[in-house]
Amino acid sequence: MKSKVLAKKDLLKFINKLIKEYDVFAPVKKEEGIVFSKIDKTDDMCLSYSNTKNSVKEFLLPQSEKLFRFAKKENTNEITDLKEKKRRSLLFGVRPCDGKAIAMLDKVFLENIPDAYYKRRRKNTLIIGMACDTPLQTCFCTSVEGGPFSIEGLDALFVELKENYFIIPVTKQCEKLFVHLDNASQEDIKEAEKLKKNAEKRLKPVFEIKDIKEKLDGAFDNPIWEEIHEKCIKCGICTYLCPACHCFDIQDETVGEEGCRVRNWDSCMFPKFTMHASSHNPRATQKERWRQRIMHKFNYLRENTGMYGCVGCGRCVEYCPVNLDIRKVIRDILESK
Amino acid sequence: MKTKKIQDIARKLLKEKKVDVVIGFEKGTLPSSATPCFIRNPDEVDRLIWNSFCGNNLANYLPKRKDKIGIVAKGCDSRSIVVLIQENQIKREQLYIIGIPCDGMTDKNNVLHDYCLICEHKNPVIYDVLVGEKVKENKAQRHPEGLRDTKWQKIEDFEKKSSSDKWKYLESELSKCIRCNACRNACPTCYCKECFIDQEKPRWVGTTNNLSDIIFFHLGRIFHQAGRCTDCGACVRACPMNIDLRQFTQKITKDGETLFDYETGLDIDVKPPFATFKEDDSEDFIK
Amino acid sequence: MNKNSKFRAKIRQPKIIAFLCNWCSYAGADLAGISRLQYPPNVRVIRVPCSGRMNPLYIIRALQHGVDGVLVSGCHPGDCHYITGNYYARRKFAIINSLLQYVGIEKERVHFSWVSASEGGKFAEVIKQVTEDVKKLGPAKKLVKKI
């Protein structure tokens, strides 16, 4: 597929065309910061962002997803499936780190036993990325096998040049969006290459990822876990803002005699996450929970899917109320005996 | 200066085995940040620091601890410690409080937090040793938007709104909530072994991001803070979605002060408002 | 069923929950009944051991699950069966009442009263007044949980 260019002044026209056909989600400036949200007109969109506060996983794996409804009728119980959304969705402006997280979620939810709800949404969604040339000090994508221009998980990647957007189509579904655009010239390709190198230069790896798996294999009883969790306050910010965390909990919600079964995000940081019905809790303290979080992200997922469960977006680093920095945790583990 | 003194005190405490652990602050991993730390080895006390980013309320780490603790405490932290002692979550004898008069804490852009602007207890109310000179208490009721008549101006303005406007504001603020529970967990006085939102037999609050449940959670949590909130700002500082929780928690503080004449966390021997009563408490709202 | 619910919607009566303390207000309600005093049939009574047993979150929970008004009633101060239960309750009610109004729940949705075992007349009066107030407001919309 050939790379394309779109003049910057034509971007809004391009998005407007998309809005007619798709439910478009893009970064929007709100009171709480820049968040990914549905846009009805291009004015809402805000493209001067480093990264959004929420990750795009909520459009594929919503925080609370209704699975089906049930109601008590006179002699029977009635179960109804919820209607599928007809309109297709398009996520515009996804950062490559979030894109990589989607590639990871795809492995979890689409391989082996596909998850019907995830699959339905995923098939219905196009993801257009926006390359990241101004990484924040919390960013560390290059340390976890990602990159500011990575195309993994994306259907297309936009790169902001001086006057144009340089577009790299990745999948077939996306190609038709760009057929009417001009092909990129050699200069454009060069300029994009240069930007990529610059951005990567700014993101020096903060730890050696290739050592981590082996280290963690033998680290289950490492005394380092005793120290790591100590200041953790057991909230769910890190896991809820994480683009790759995907643990969930299934609950029945009822009002009166009807209700629905919902799938909610859950967090391994919550004490209740592993609570058994018998009230025994196999992960009794925050130490075990932190060990699980690190092991899951950097060891088990790597083994099962070939990818890490951390994409280096830095949200957990930035928003942790006690500055429990996952980069430092990994470094401490690597340095421990 | 203060950093050096804190380090000296901590070193002495640990060497003389007066405490098992010192809870203080160390340098954070981001610029303009500090992070809580636990020091057990006298050789490591050099990690301790003090600056205007030491905003976390360290009293949060105290409930139900069994060891002897040296704790660095600002004015608001010390008031939370008083509440925890009153409520038997920690014993006074377990604590060695390193009190620090506080000039207000700043966010990462070096701007003083709103709650520090109206703080009336910059000096620790309870301490074993004080680091530095006491600072002048600010009773001038400064308000973020300039000088105002009373410290409750923001609350009183809100009280005057129509009920639909109030509700609209509540909904617009709380619809940002992602239910990460950070406000609850960052709060030193939210220490219940099982929170009402986690209870399942029976289940009080739904588990989804349904707005009605979110509002129930916040109203319940705020109500539980009555007579216990010290307006330390831990909840708003922790909230990743910048929800204006203080607009509601301050109301509870105001009611505690105006209805029961009780200011939170000043004296461990005074009973908190819900643990006592007066025969002539106001009841004009009761038929 | 459908027809029925349409019909019901037309003459929709407010649903009011009354939390009555076992020793005074519940007996007061009883007395109102024995004395054949008429009062609106909109209240559903939940008996609590003492007004001090009232967890104020019950009020929020009731509003969330579709009642239009709440009444909490206990013994007069000084008359509590458990000596001081209602004194403690009074403080909690003061705070929750003020908090609910502060966040925009209408004042007339939530009521508190003291009704003794001998005040059958007062009980009927209170119920009349509460029902009237809630009727004026119409059905509750805020806080109502929809799934």
Side-chain angles (χ1 to χ4, degrees):
Chain A
M1 276 170 271
K2 284 222 168 91
S3 308
K4 302 276 183 180
V5 283
L6 172 71
K8 271 192 184 168
K9 59 176 177 19
D10 295 335
L11 178 73
L12 296 187
K13 222 161 66 190
F14 177 76
I15 303 280
N16 265 325
K17 230 171 79 191
L18 292 178
I19 290 177
K20 281 187 198 123
E21 203 181 331
Y22 296 90
D23 281 342
V24 177
F25 297 85
V28 175
K29 192 165 190 171
K30 291 192 180 171
E31 240 177 79
E32 61 264 40
I34 295 176
V35 291
F36 243 95
S37 181
K38 187 163 180 267
I39 55 167
D40 299 319
K41 51 186 194 304
T42 45
D43 301 356
D44 301 340
M45 198 166 63
C46 167
L47 285 180
S48 54
Y49 67 108
S50 293
N51 208 348
T52 51
K53 200 167 241 185
N54 59 345
S55 76
V56 289
K57 81 170 169 195
E58 67 181 64
F59 304 109
L60 300 171
L61 183 72
Q63 175 157 18
S64 300
E65 177 156 58
K66 288 181 182 141
L67 305 179
F68 57 80
R69 279 184 177 285
F70 50 83
K72 198 171 168 191
K73 291 285 146 78
E74 262 162 59
N75 299 318
T76 99
N77 296 325
E78 191 181 86
I79 290 181
T80 34
D81 281 328
L82 289 148
K83 269 189 203 132
E84 246 175 88
K85 202 179 78 171
K86 283 275 150 55
R87 257 167 88 88
R88 305 195 65 198
S89 306
L90 185 142
L91 310 178
F92 180 81
V94 177
R95 289 297 185 197
C97 46
D98 286 9
K100 195 172 154 73
I102 293 170
M104 204 280 296
L105 293 177
D106 285 351
K107 295 222 171 192
V108 174
F109 286 101
L110 298 181
E111 283 180 8
N112 289 330
I113 305 160
D115 178 85
Y117 299 94
Y118 182 88
K119 196 174 167 188
R120 195 161 76 188
R121 281 173 194 274
R122 184 71 177 92
K123 262 174 62 187
N124 219 359
T125 309
L126 278 182
I127 299 159
I128 297 184
M130 180 69 84
C132 181
D133 50 10
T134 49
L136 294 169
Q137 55 204 359
T138 47
C139 291
F140 58 106
C141 52
T142 51
S143 314
V144 283
E145 298 186 338
F149 281 59
S150 151
I151 51 168
E152 246 178 302
L154 301 173
D155 289 302
L157 179 71
F158 274 48
V159 180
E160 194 180 344
L161 304 181
K162 267 196 201 95
E163 276 145 23
N164 298 323
Y165 283 104
F166 177 77
I167 303 165
I168 309 168
V170 183
T171 59
K172 280 238 163 62
Q173 294 107 292
C174 226
E175 226 179 353
K176 69 172 175 93
L177 300 178
F178 309 121
V179 279
H180 62 284
L181 298 178
D182 297 334
N183 285 337
S185 67
Q186 279 303 316
E187 283 96 78
D188 293 331
I189 296 174
K190 263 187 206 152
E191 199 183 338
E193 268 307 309
K194 208 173 130 195
L195 283 173
K196 182 179 174 183
K197 277 202 187 112
N198 272 341
E200 277 170 0
K201 223 185 273 169
R202 265 192 266 174
L203 283 159
K204 294 229 169 66
V206 289
F207 49 76
E208 271 304 324
I209 192 78
K210 63 179 194 315
D211 306 336
I212 187 80
K213 178 144 189 341
E214 202 185 324
K215 186 83 195 182
L216 286 176
D217 275 338
F220 198 79
D221 297 316
N222 195 326
I224 187 95
W225 303 115
E226 299 281 353
E227 288 165 34
I228 287 169
H229 75 280
E230 204 156 20
K231 64 184 172 186
C232 177
I233 59 168
K234 310 183 183 87
C235 74
I237 293 180
C238 47
T239 44
Y240 279 12
L241 296 184
C242 178
C245 276
H246 52 264
C247 288
F248 58 78
D249 177 34
I250 292 179
Q251 292 275 349
D252 285 349
E253 288 282 310
T254 50
V255 171
E257 294 194 329
E258 56 184 309
C260 56
R261 181 156 294 177
V262 280
R263 174 161 81 178
N264 296 314
W265 288 353
D266 206 345
S267 167
C268 56
M269 294 286 104
F270 294 159
K272 256 191 73 181
F273 183 65
T274 46
M275 183 71 93
H276 290 183
S278 66
S279 84
H280 166 68
N281 196 344
R283 288 185 210 138
T285 69
Q286 208 61 10
K287 174 189 144 191
E288 289 88 9
R289 295 173 203 132
W290 257 92
R291 179 171 63 200
Q292 167 65 18
R293 183 165 135 82
I294 298 293
M295 286 288 196
H296 191 197
K297 282 189 176 301
F298 292 93
N299 192 353
Y300 311 148
L301 269 173
R302 174 71 173 181
E303 200 163 307
N304 296 336
T305 68
M307 292 176 83
Y308 292 106
C310 172
V311 294
C313 69
R315 289 185 179 92
C316 58
V317 180
E318 186 170 352
Y319 298 107
C320 178
V322 291
N323 186 229
L324 214 174
D325 190 329
I326 197 164
R327 300 173 298 180
K328 186 169 180 295
V329 171
I330 297 294
R331 276 202 303 265
D332 286 350
I333 293 169
L334 285 173
E335 282 163 18
S336 70
K337 280 174 201 148
Chain B
M1 255 294 276
K2 280 182 182 164
T3 300
K4 180 81 180 45
K5 273 192 187 155
I6 294 169
Q7 290 173 354
D8 290 344
I9 295 166
R11 190 176 294 115
K12 197 158 161 250
L13 286 174
L14 288 166
K15 269 198 181 143
E16 289 172 5
K17 300 221 160 40
K18 273 196 182 149
V19 298
D20 304 316
V21 59
V22 172
I23 308 179
F25 290 93
E26 66 180 330
K27 200 169 170 304
T29 59
L30 302 172
S32 311
S33 74
T35 175
C37 73
F38 296 72
I39 307 279
R40 292 195 169 77
N41 184 346
D43 302 332
E44 284 182 19
V45 293
D46 294 338
R47 276 162 60 195
L48 289 167
I49 59 156
W50 184 256
N51 57 28
S52 71
F53 307 113
C54 300
N56 293 79
N57 191 332
L58 296 181
N60 195 20
Y61 296 109
L62 294 181
K64 303 187 176 74
R65 280 186 89 105
K66 295 277 173 273
D67 46 355
K68 284 201 148 191
I69 306 145
I71 183 168
V72 173
K74 307 180 283 290
C76 47
D77 301 16
S78 74
R79 289 174 70 199
S80 297
I81 293 173
V82 168
V83 176
L84 293 175
I85 295 172
Q86 281 175 330
E87 296 179 356
N88 290 326
Q89 294 305 309
I90 191 90
K91 292 198 183 78
R92 179 69 185 90
E93 306 81 73
Q94 276 174 275
L95 297 175
Y96 189 92
I97 302 167
I98 307 168
I100 303 189
C102 165
D103 278 321
M105 289 292 147
T106 59
D107 61 12
K108 44 185 173 187
N109 303 321
N110 250 321
V111 180
L112 213 57
H113 292 297
D114 322 356
Y115 38 87
C116 293
L117 277 170
I118 59 163
C119 173
E120 292 183 350
H121 297 279
K122 296 170 175 230
N123 295 308
V125 295
I126 181 175
Y127 54 84
D128 293 300
V129 58
L130 199 65
V131 176
E133 293 292 304
K134 278 196 176 183
V135 293
K136 196 168 160 267
E137 290 294 1
N138 166 28
K139 297 269 178 192
Q141 329 293 13
R142 259 190 300 155
H143 192 272
E145 290 131 45
L147 279 165
R148 292 284 189 92
D149 299 324
T150 72
K151 65 174 167 179
W152 306 123
Q153 195 64 45
K154 193 178 157 208
I155 306 305
E156 279 162 8
D157 288 350
F158 194 82
E159 280 166 355
K160 284 182 202 128
K161 290 186 181 178
S162 73
S163 57
S164 61
D165 282 353
K166 292 175 186 167
W167 187 257
K168 224 180 264 166
Y169 185 73
L170 179 84
E171 280 197 331
S172 74
E173 280 302 311
L174 296 188
S175 57
K176 301 180 207 163
C177 177
I178 57 167
R179 293 199 77 165
C180 64
N181 298 342
C183 47
R184 179 190 76 183
N185 292 13
C187 177
T189 42
C190 266
Y191 53 71
C192 285
K193 207 171 162 196
E194 190 177 28
C195 177
F196 73 102
I197 61 163
D198 290 333
Q199 280 177 335
E200 279 180 331
K201 295 171 195 163
R203 181 166 269 298
W204 277 91
V205 188
T207 51
T208 65
N209 58 357
N210 180 308
L211 187 55
S212 167
D213 284 327
I214 290 175
I215 292 173
F216 189 0
F217 159 54
H218 284 283
L219 288 183
R221 195 189 84 80
I222 290 164
F223 173 71
H224 283 169
Q225 288 302 326
R228 311 170 62 230
C229 173
T230 60
D231 203 15
C232 68
C235 50
V236 281
R237 210 167 34 231
C239 180
M241 305 317 266
N242 306 342
I243 299 171
D244 181 14
L245 288 166
R246 280 183 63 247
Q247 182 74 60
F248 309 106
T249 52
Q250 267 190 298
K251 166 70 177 167
I252 287 294
T253 316
K254 179 189 169 218
D255 282 351
E257 286 186 27
T258 49
L259 293 174
F260 311 130
D261 193 23
Y262 177 82
E263 202 173 349
T264 308
L266 296 186
D267 188 345
I268 48 177
D269 298 322
V270 175
K271 277 198 167 175
F274 282 171
T276 180
F277 62 86
K278 285 196 189 112
E279 277 179 19
D280 57 349
D281 278 333
S282 101
E283 57 168 23
D284 46 6
F285 64 98
I286 299 177
K287 287 193 185 79
Chain C
M1 186 73 186
N2 247 341
K3 212 173 156 191
N4 192 8
S5 62
K6 245 186 206 165
F7 176 63
R8 269 201 313 216
K10 245 184 209 168
I11 52 152
R12 194 181 181 284
Q13 288 286 335
K15 214 185 259 182
I16 295 165
I17 288 228
F19 293 94
L20 307 181
C21 102
N22 181 38
W23 303 97
C24 293
S25 298
Y26 194 81
D30 216 14
L31 182 62
I34 292 168
S35 326
R36 309 275 162 127
L37 296 170
Q38 283 232 339
Y39 58 85
N42 302 63
V43 249
R44 277 84 168 150
V45 174
I46 292 178
R47 179 163 60 158
V48 287
C50 171
S51 51
R53 171 65 183 87
M54 257 309 280
N55 186 335
L57 300 190
Y58 291 169
I59 300 170
I60 308 181
R61 169 94 182 169
L63 290 172
Q64 202 194 11
H65 282 255
V67 304
D68 302 303
V70 180
L71 167 71
V72 184
S73 189
C75 310
H76 285 274
D79 293 350
C80 178
H81 183 78
Y82 306 100
I83 320 297
T84 54
N86 54 0
Y87 282 122
Y88 290 106
R90 187 166 63 182
R91 288 200 152 193
K92 289 191 271 184
F93 296 161
I95 293 278
I96 194 74
N97 185 45
S98 141
L99 179 66
L100 287 177
Q101 284 177 31
Y102 182 77
V103 298
I105 301 287
E106 301 89 343
K107 193 175 160 202
E108 293 81 8
R109 286 258 181 250
V110 183
H111 298 261
F112 301 88
S113 68
W114 303 137
V115 173
S116 80
S118 60
E119 293 176 325
K122 182 175 177 188
F123 183 80
E125 261 326 294
V126 168
I127 297 298
K128 263 182 219 159
Q129 204 192 332
V130 169
T131 313
E132 239 166 67
D133 280 356
V134 174
K135 261 188 188 163
K136 261 184 227 154
L137 287 177
K141 293 217 173 63
K142 295 167 187 165
L143 249 179
V144 179
K145 183 172 173 182
K146 291 195 191 84
I147 47 168

